[in-house]
Every structure is written in C-alpha cells, then in structure tokens.
Amino acid sequence: YTVPDVLNDGTIPASPGAITFLTGGVNGSPSPFSIADYWIWKFANGLDDDYSAWQHMRSTGTIYAGEGYTMKGPGTGTILTPQNYVFEGKPNNGDIALTISAGNDYLVGNPYASAIDAHEFITDNPDSSGTLYFWEHWGGGSHVLWEYQGGYALYNYSGGIPTASYGTNDPDVATGGTPTKLPGRYIPVSQGFFVYSPGGGTITFENDQRVFEKEGATSVFVRTANSEANQPINYNEDTRMKFRIGFNSTNTIHRQLLLTVDENATNGYDWGYDGRLNSVQIDDMFWMLEGEKYGIQGTNEVTAESVFPLGIHARDDGLNSIQIDHLENVTDHVEIYFRFN
C-alpha cells in the first residue's frame, strides 16, 4: 500500500477526514489538513547504523504489511501536541514475513488491529538479535537532523530501558530533551520498531503473537509525550529482581542500564536476554559482555561474589556519577558496590 491508501485525519474519530499529501515543501498544515510527504521514509533491510540506507517513499512509494515508516504531522501545536489518525481498510491477518540480510536493520511495525506480545514476537524470530529498538522523539521542533531530540528505548525478555535523557544515542542528533516512555511487553497497534539481524533470515509476524491489551503501563506507544504520559515512568509488573543503574555525565547525559535476574539467563551472552546498544553517546556507560556494549543484561543469579563489568567513556573532563535509579523486587539485605580498578 501507499500511506494515502490507508491513512485519514482522525481529529474527529467518528468522522475521519481526508488528508492532503503535499508533494512540495517540508511543512504540513492544520487547515486544510495536510501532510508534507517529504518525511515519509522507510528503512527496509538496510545496513546497520547506515543513515544513508533510509528509503524515500513519499506518498507514492510502496510500503508492505509489517514494514514501518516515518512521517511528520500537520504542524498543529508543539511537538508534544497529540494528533489522532484513523487507518481504514481490511485488517491484516495471518503470517506476514519480511526478508532481512546479515548485519542489517529493518524498521518494522505491528501490522495487526490488536496489540502483539513482544516476548512471543522475539521467540518467533530467532533470526533477529532478540532485542527490539523503539525511537522516542521527545523534543526539537525542527527539520534539521542535528536539532532532533530523541533516542532509542530497548526491550527484550529481561525487560525494557528508556532512551537516554538530556542526550541521544546518535551523535548527529542534539541534546536537550527528556524521555518519558518505557516500552512494555505488549506492542500497541501501529507501533514501529527496529529489528537487527546478525546472520540474516526472516522477520515474521504471526497470529499467535496477537493479544487483547489496551494501551497503558504494559502497552506503551513510544512516540512523543502527551499530557497523560508526562508522569513518572511506570515500571512493568514483574516478579524478577531488577537493578536499574544510572549514569550521569559531565555533559548532563543520563543513561539507565538494566540488570535482570532470570533462571533462563547466564553470566555470559544470552540471546533475547542481553540487549546490545545500537549506538553510543558522546558520554556513556554500558554493560561489557564479550567485548560488546549492552544496555540490558540478564543473569541467573546475584550473590555476594557477583561482579558485572561496566564500561564508561567520556568526551570531556569533568564530574561523572553512577547511581541506583530504581530497584525492583530486591530485598533490603542486598548490598550493591561499585568497584573501580
């Protein structure tokens, strides 16, 4: 399909209106309701971390079921102002498969008219890295790339972490925003996310991934914030021990890392439980696993002898600090130390 085939103005949900897709310029308009089609892009089976691999679809390019795409709105209000859209057409059903090559990323999206279970999606996709990447654009009302304010939140079997705050995972994107979203287990209707494949294969959506789950703390549409989302992050209900460790850099960048205790994980690399960072900031902290940088780590136990190596790098001299952001299901007798070699 093309985007104009399925997308309508949902300002009045019960009475969807037409959208005019402008083929000239880079700005939309609230009246008449129009979208600049310049910003409709997809990233379909492109080389990992290659910005030039974005494919320009505009309003006439073909987007297949299961693929995600980017689009900017009509320009009503600020970047925090929500805009409703209505998709019209026959809902997708059954298996949907996309081919991905080794070392490539694919921007995909929930193609069903229901939420999907991220755990089941990961299980059904052994050709992926086992971690999902959700972009949150929280600030920067500009068309200039380096003025964008956003970053990637991560989710896998171990849980989710938000994107970094007052910073970004991409050196081409500016600092200055505050993320508010923590991805949950259930991926809402039309939510897009990146999948990475180390060895290539197939990305598959299946009916057994579908669940009835309304948007809320466990089913979060990771976009920009709105009035209801500007609340403290809701941590998913989970009985496992989770350690959320924070890093504050001299350049006011905050990164949160997650360590989850799960009997299915080990102290080494575990597919689906350890989440590799897809890019690193000018100042950053990460779990070090087999020489790679991770934002999420799973382990089968935490004892008095447990040690989990951290890596830190800083662009500028100055004060950097490490803190405990949040503890989940961790008893009071557990003591946490940071050892510097």
Side-chain angles (χ1 to χ4, degrees):
Y1 63 91
T2 66
V3 174
D5 291 337
V6 296
L7 196 65
N8 296 273
D9 171 17
T11 302
I12 304 175
S15 181
I19 298 177
T20 299
F21 286 86
L22 305 175
T23 57
V26 294
N27 295 311
S29 173
S31 182
F33 194 94
S34 44
I35 299 293
D37 79 346
Y38 177 83
W39 302 108
I40 302 177
W41 299 71
K42 70 178 182 180
F43 199 101
N45 193 25
L47 187 65
D48 179 47
D49 199 28
D50 181 4
Y51 200 82
S52 66
W54 283 94
Q55 298 153 299
H56 207 180
M57 294 294 102
R58 304 195 77 117
S59 57
T60 57
T62 299
I63 298 172
Y64 296 96
E67 289 186 337
Y69 62 89
T70 66
M71 188 186 79
K72 292 189 178 183
T76 55
T78 70
I79 193 171
L80 303 182
T81 303
Q83 173 62 52
N84 192 59
Y85 297 95
V86 172
F87 285 89
E88 184 176 13
K90 182 180 179 180
N92 292 312
N93 187 33
D95 292 355
I96 296 170
L98 301 168
T99 300
I100 188 169
S101 303
N104 281 10
D105 293 323
Y106 212 127
L107 176 58
V108 299
N110 176 4
Y112 300 121
S114 64
I116 60 173
D117 184 341
H119 290 201
E120 186 64 34
F121 176 85
I122 293 170
T123 299
D124 290 341
N125 285 282
D127 294 333
S128 76
S129 67
T131 297
L132 313 180
Y133 299 88
F134 300 85
W135 173 263
E136 182 185 354
H137 197 93
W138 62 71
S142 169
H143 294 320
V144 181
L145 175 63
W146 69 270
E147 293 179 348
Y148 286 8
Q149 295 169 1
Y152 287 95
L154 278 62
Y155 189 86
N156 60 21
Y157 291 145
S158 294
I161 58 172
T163 174
S165 58
Y166 295 108
T168 169
N169 292 338
D170 193 318
D172 296 327
V173 181
T175 62
T178 304
T180 60
K181 303 294 184 68
L182 183 74
R185 175 170 177 171
Y186 304 104
I187 302 171
V189 176
S190 301
Q191 170 70 62
F193 54 96
F194 268 100
V195 175
Y196 170 71
S197 178
T202 303
I203 302 300
T204 305
F205 291 92
E206 302 176 5
N207 276 343
D208 65 356
Q209 300 165 14
R210 303 176 68 173
V211 292
F212 177 76
E213 186 75 21
K214 294 182 178 181
E215 288 186 37
T218 59
S219 183
V220 180
F221 198 98
V222 184
R223 197 186 68 89
T224 187
N226 56 41
S227 58
E228 294 180 355
N230 275 330
Q231 304 295 329
I233 288 174
N234 292 315
Y235 293 94
N236 298 351
E237 292 184 5
D238 198 327
T239 60
R240 296 173 296 178
M241 279 200 298
K242 293 187 176 185
F243 301 81
R244 297 186 181 273
I245 308 301
F247 168 71
N248 298 301
S249 84
T250 187
N251 289 304
T252 67
I253 294 173
H254 179 79
R255 162 75 75 186
Q256 182 181 105
L257 304 179
L258 172 63
L259 174 68
T260 298
V261 181
D262 190 298
E263 61 182 7
N264 297 304
T266 68
N267 283 330
Y269 170 76
D270 300 293
W271 181 89
Y273 290 90
D274 300 318
R276 179 179 66 95
L277 291 178
N278 54 349
S279 56
V280 177
Q281 303 179 61
I282 56 172
D283 308 322
D284 220 330
M285 183 173 76
F286 27 79
W287 302 116
M288 292 300 303
L289 277 171
E290 301 180 3
E292 297 289 337
K293 303 175 179 67
Y294 287 79
I296 301 175
Q297 182 175 182
T299 185
N300 59 334
E301 64 176 358
V302 171
T303 69
E305 289 74 36
S306 296
V307 177
F308 302 96
L310 290 167
I312 297 174
H313 77 77
R315 186 190 67 179
D316 303 313
D317 293 340
L319 180 65
N320 300 281
S321 63
I322 301 173
Q323 67 185 45
I324 297 173
D325 275 356
H326 192 71
L327 299 177
E328 301 170 49
N329 307 309
V330 178
T331 58
D332 293 338
H333 73 273
V334 175
E335 296 183 340
I336 302 170
Y337 299 90
F338 292 95
R339 186 178 73 189
F340 294 89
N341 293 329

